[in-house]
Amino acid sequence: MINEVLEQLTYLKLKSAYTYLKELHINDEISSSELKGIYKILKKEVEAKEENNRLYNVKVAGFPFLRTIEEYDFSFQPSIKKEKIDAIISSEFYEEGTNVVFIGNPGTGKTHLAISIAYSVAIRRNSVYFIKFNKLINILRNAYNEGTFERKVKQFFKYKLLIIDEVGFNEISPLESKLFFQLIDLRYCKRSTIITSNITFDKWPTILGNDEMITKAILDRLLHFSYLFNITGPSYRIKDKIKPLQTEES
């Protein structure tokens, strides 16, 4: 019991308490029942700290909202198979530099699925970060103009899982496309990235500076080791508004 309590004090970084308890034990000034009582109290503190550590990476991930896979309506989007998403969540794809790409119309749950997967990675105490594509590009461009691009791109590289949401809502310049390529190239095979986009791949050159060569290089690296999902269903956000209209027309 004494060793278990000392381990708890070490985990909680209570150095003075550790030293004092050791002295009490050496001098035979603490009983087994007292040790059991201390152990029981510290066990709660250890559990609380472990839970805080577990959730820390969720808190700093920048999620716009939290969603779990249990909240996703797979019956409304039959083109997505729950077992495939579950298999990714239960795997360690983020340790292998494997990407996940969701393509589909707005409102089909791409961001929900991305956050659900990322949440499962974050609670395993892995570094995760969520960012909109447009915001990412602005940050990279500003860093380039300020001469801090290398430092900034390394900052984005460090995340074990990076979620880049809504690729395609804004067209970017040829320079910005090259900056984006450098980030994707740096993470290639080393870090995992989740991409969501409402634009099919054949149209990506139009949003990436009309540079077909850079676009091909980006897609090659994103898709080489990846799980790709094409969501073909309707928008979940407006499903309740569409039904009454259909009823009135009929």
Side-chain angles (χ1 to χ4, degrees), residues 142-241:
N142 290 337
Y144 176 82
N145 292 336
E146 295 167 3
T148 60
F149 177 76
E150 291 299 325
R151 187 172 68 204
K152 183 59 66 175
V153 81
K154 286 178 182 177
Q155 179 184 329
F156 282 112
F157 169 78
K158 73 179 182 180
Y159 297 110
K160 187 160 284 188
L161 178 61
L162 179 65
I163 306 93
I164 304 175
D165 192 41
E166 295 183 346
V167 174
F169 273 90
N170 301 88
E171 297 178 3
I172 64 177
S173 69
L175 170 63
E176 292 166 338
S177 298
K178 290 180 173 65
L179 299 179
F180 182 52
F181 165 76
Q182 289 186 55
L183 172 61
I184 297 302
D185 184 55
L186 188 63
R187 293 180 62 84
Y188 176 55
C189 290
K190 303 181 186 72
R191 296 285 190 271
S192 292
T193 304
I194 297 180
I195 296 284
T196 76
S197 178
N198 65 325
I199 305 296
T200 54
F201 296 133
D202 61 310
K203 296 178 181 177
W204 272 43
T206 63
I207 63 171
L208 297 178
N210 285 306
D211 191 325
E212 292 194 6
M213 184 176 295
I214 282 291
T215 301
K216 184 178 184 300
I218 289 171
L219 288 175
D220 280 349
R221 285 157 178 77
L222 284 177
L223 301 178
H224 186 197
F225 299 107
S226 70
Y227 297 100
L228 174 60
F229 296 91
N230 286 295
I231 308 177
T232 57
S235 171
Y236 184 83
R237 296 192 191 103
I238 61 175
K239 66 182 178 67
D240 294 327
K241 295 183 179 180

Side-chain angles (χ1 to χ4, degrees), residues 4-239:
E4 292 174 347
V5 175
L6 290 174
E7 286 176 4
Q8 289 175 320
L9 293 172
T10 299
Y11 178 74
L12 296 170
K13 298 182 179 179
L14 299 174
K15 295 181 180 179
S16 297
Y18 179 97
T19 302
Y20 182 57
L21 180 64
K22 209 166 184 180
E23 289 176 359
L24 290 176
H25 178 65
I26 291 172
N27 297 325
D28 200 21
E29 294 177 357
I30 188 167
S31 66
S32 296
S33 60
E34 288 173 325
L35 280 173
K36 288 178 181 178
I38 294 172
Y39 174 83
K40 190 174 182 180
I41 294 169
L42 292 179
K43 187 172 183 289
K44 287 294 182 182
E45 190 64 26
V46 167
E47 290 173 351
K49 184 175 181 179
E50 288 178 341
E51 181 65 10
N52 286 335
N53 288 341
R54 193 172 74 93
L55 294 177
Y56 172 77
N57 287 297
V58 175
K59 294 175 183 176
V60 300
F63 295 133
F65 53 82
L66 282 180
R67 292 288 186 275
T68 64
I69 200 60
E70 287 73 26
E71 297 172 272
Y72 189 81
D73 189 353
F74 285 92
S75 64
F76 189 74
Q77 300 293 1
S79 61
I80 296 290
K81 302 302 180 185
K82 185 177 186 299
E83 53 270 24
K84 290 186 177 180
I85 302 297
D86 285 340
I88 294 173
I89 288 175
S90 62
S91 73
E92 293 188 346
F93 73 97
Y94 53 90
E95 297 287 3
E96 301 163 354
T98 302
N99 301 322
V100 184
V101 181
F102 293 104
I103 304 295
N105 292 327
T108 52
K110 301 182 300 296
T111 302
H112 182 151
L113 290 168
I115 289 176
S116 297
I117 294 171
Y119 174 80
S120 73
V121 175
I123 61 173
R124 294 184 228 179
R125 299 175 68 175
N126 295 291
S127 58
V128 172
Y129 193 69
F130 178 101
I131 190 168
K132 297 287 186 182
F133 177 67
N134 189 48
K135 182 178 180 181
L136 171 65
I137 295 303
N138 286 337
I139 290 172
L140 295 180
R141 185 186 63 247
N142 290 337
Y144 176 82
N145 292 336
E146 295 167 3
T148 60
F149 177 76
E150 291 299 325
R151 187 172 68 204
K152 183 59 66 175
V153 81
K154 286 178 182 177
Q155 179 184 329
F156 282 112
F157 169 78
K158 73 179 182 180
Y159 297 110
K160 187 160 284 188
L161 178 61
L162 179 65
I163 306 93
I164 304 175
D165 192 41
E166 295 183 346
V167 174
F169 273 90
N170 301 88
E171 297 178 3
I172 64 177
S173 69
L175 170 63
E176 292 166 338
S177 298
K178 290 180 173 65
L179 299 179
F180 182 52
F181 165 76
Q182 289 186 55
L183 172 61
I184 297 302
D185 184 55
L186 188 63
R187 293 180 62 84
Y188 176 55
C189 290
K190 303 181 186 72
R191 296 285 190 271
S192 292
T193 304
I194 297 180
I195 296 284
T196 76
S197 178
N198 65 325
I199 305 296
T200 54
F201 296 133
D202 61 310
K203 296 178 181 177
W204 272 43
T206 63
I207 63 171
L208 297 178
N210 285 306
D211 191 325
E212 292 194 6
M213 184 176 295
I214 282 291
T215 301
K216 184 178 184 300
I218 289 171
L219 288 175
D220 280 349
R221 285 157 178 77
L222 284 177
L223 301 178
H224 186 197
F225 299 107
S226 70
Y227 297 100
L228 174 60
F229 296 91
N230 286 295
I231 308 177
T232 57
S235 171
Y236 184 83
R237 296 192 191 103
I238 61 175
K239 66 182 178 67

